[in-house]
């Protein structure tokens, strides 16, 4: 008999730790109230998948997560992955920002051991909750050797997604997770099946290590629209080291906002054009003369993950070409 993998399940809150008054409460319930021991205790079937240890790291909705939460999660996961008797880690997480935490781990962990971030759209108390199966599947994925060396994963609805691509794209439905290029694979009857692997650089091959990070530079996201006032853009640009400007279509910038964003770039604030559309490529020097204006572009990344990537890139360089290269490589 093959020895079981040792998996640590970290609780951070979210709907997967939520509770409603009635089973019919699929969307109205209290978040982040059940401890991870109770969540796991309700799924005795998981003991057939792995030797499990649970720990409660946080107990809050992921809408509250700031850079310190990301650093705290990353630091703890890295400590666990260094332990010889830990084969993988599962993080139970609110679904709202699962894609950001997962991407941050994908870029900063220095281990090939599987790390899976999982949440649920309905609390365990609800009718047809996705909590039990999502967590069961996440543990199955983390425990399986085929999940090693492919970066941080997000499991939902029997699908395995790479942290780089996965996006929450619905506010209430169970089918709320998708990747623009499709999932990496499926998990069925407690076994993952992969059909492709991430092609972009991650984990051990990136220049960022969670061990070397104490803080992250402030990068803000500005959602663009024609009625957005120039002064608002100037005010936001005065605060941090970078701005992800979420333009319409292929990253278009309203005419009256070009000068405030050019000013920001002249003052050393990194301006990156992104798109409101949710998918597709923002072509460098396409809709705008980026090189002339000193702006960068996200390539195909969504604004929330572009913020994470730019924050990390700024810990190592201020050079525009090197920052742009990060968007082409990760
Ligand atoms: N407050 C929750 C969160 O942590 C709601 C979303 C969920 O977990 O499904 O993101």
């Amino acid at each position: 008999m093959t020895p079981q993998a040792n998996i640590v399940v970290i609780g951070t809150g979210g709907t997967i730790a939520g509770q409603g008054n009635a089973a019919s409460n699929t969307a109205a319930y209290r978040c982040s109230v059940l401890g991870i021991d109770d969540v796991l205790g309700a799924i005795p079937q998981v003991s057939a998948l792995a030797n499990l240890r649970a720990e409660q790291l946080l107990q809050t909705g992921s809408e509250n997560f700031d850079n310190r939460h990301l650093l705290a999660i990353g630091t703890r996961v890295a400590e666990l992955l260094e332990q010889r008797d830990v084969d993988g880690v599962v993080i139970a997480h609110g679904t709202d920002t699962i894609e950001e935490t997962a991407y941050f781990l994908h870029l900063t962990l220095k281990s090939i051991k599987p790390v899976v971030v999982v949440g649920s759209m309905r609390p365990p108390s609800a009718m047809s909750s996705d909590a039990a199966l999502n967590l069961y599947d996440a543990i199955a994925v983390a425990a399986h050797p085929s999940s090693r060396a492919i970066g941080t994963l997000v499991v939902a609805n029997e699908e395995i997604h790479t942290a780089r691509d996965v996006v929450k794209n619905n506010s209430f439905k169970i089918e709320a997770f998708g990747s623009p290029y499709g999932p990496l694979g499926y998990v069925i009857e407690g076994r993952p099946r992969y059909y492709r692997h991430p092609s972009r650089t991650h984990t051990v091959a990136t220049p960022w290590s969670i061990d070397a990070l104490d803080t992250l530079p402030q990068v803000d996201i500005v959602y663009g629209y024609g009625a957005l006032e120039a002064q608002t853009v100037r005010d936001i640009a005065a605060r941090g080291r970078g701005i992800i400007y979420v333009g319409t279509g292929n990253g278009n910038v309203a005419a009256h906002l070009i000068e405030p964003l050019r000013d920001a770039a002249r003052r050393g604030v990194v301006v990156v054009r992104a798109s409101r559309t949710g998918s597709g490529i923002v072509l460098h020097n396409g809709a705008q003369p980026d090189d002339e204006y000193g702006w960068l572009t996200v390539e195909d990344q969504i604004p929330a993950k572009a913020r994470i990537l730019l924050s990390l890139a700024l810990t190592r360089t201020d050079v525009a070409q090197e920052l742009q290269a990060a968007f082409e490589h990760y």
Side-chain angles (χ1 to χ4, degrees), residues 31-227:
C31 248
S32 314
V33 291
L34 301 174
I36 191 63
D37 284 327
D38 293 333
V39 176
L40 271 178
I43 323 168
Q45 298 82 357
V46 292
S47 62
L49 298 172
N51 300 317
L52 294 171
R53 210 165 89 206
E55 65 176 58
Q56 193 77 48
L57 183 63
L58 302 168
Q59 186 65 302
T60 187
S62 68
E63 66 274 17
N64 300 317
F65 285 14
D66 60 22
N67 292 339
R68 285 165 302 184
H69 293 86
L70 295 182
L71 291 164
I73 294 171
T75 302
R76 184 59 189 145
V77 173
E79 280 167 7
L80 289 166
L81 295 175
E82 271 172 27
Q83 295 173 16
R84 290 187 54 177
D85 63 347
V86 172
D87 298 307
V89 173
V90 171
I91 303 153
H93 194 292
T95 59
D96 285 3
T97 66
I98 212 166
E99 62 212 42
E100 286 156 77
T101 301
Y103 190 45
F104 177 74
L105 299 175
H106 190 66
L107 294 173
T108 58
L109 291 175
K110 294 287 161 261
S111 172
I112 63 163
K113 293 178 183 176
V115 173
V116 182
V117 195
V118 65
S120 70
M121 292 299 291
R122 294 180 185 162
S125 53
M127 273 187 243
S128 295
S129 172
D130 49 336
L133 187 58
N134 281 354
L135 188 50
Y136 180 85
D137 285 350
I139 292 167
V141 168
H144 202 274
S146 63
S147 305
R148 288 167 69 87
I150 54 174
T152 302
L153 304 167
V154 171
V155 168
N157 308 314
E158 298 157 302
E159 292 182 344
I160 307 164
H161 294 268
T162 169
R164 182 191 184 272
D165 295 343
V166 71
V167 177
K168 181 177 183 180
N169 54 27
N170 190 280
S171 62
F172 80 101
K173 288 174 70 175
I174 279 187
E175 309 79 31
F177 293 93
S179 296
Y181 315 110
L184 300 182
Y186 299 127
V187 48
I188 181 165
E189 292 283 328
R191 214 198 99 198
R193 292 159 193 262
Y194 290 98
Y195 301 98
R196 64 187 190 92
H197 281 171
S199 61
R200 296 285 182 113
T201 306
H202 58 80
T203 54
V204 294
T206 77
W208 309 290
S209 172
I210 186 72
D211 297 339
L213 296 168
D214 291 327
T215 55
L216 290 174
Q218 183 69 21
V219 171
D220 293 301
I221 301 172
V222 177
Y223 193 89
Y225 48 95

Side-chain angles (χ1 to χ4, degrees), residues 9 142 324:
V9 183
Q324 184 60 52

Side-chain angles (χ1 to χ4, degrees), residues 17-37:
Q19 198 160 36
N21 290 332
S24 54
N25 291 129
T26 55
Y29 51 84
R30 292 175 306 285
C31 248
S32 314
V33 291
L34 301 174
I36 191 63
D37 284 327

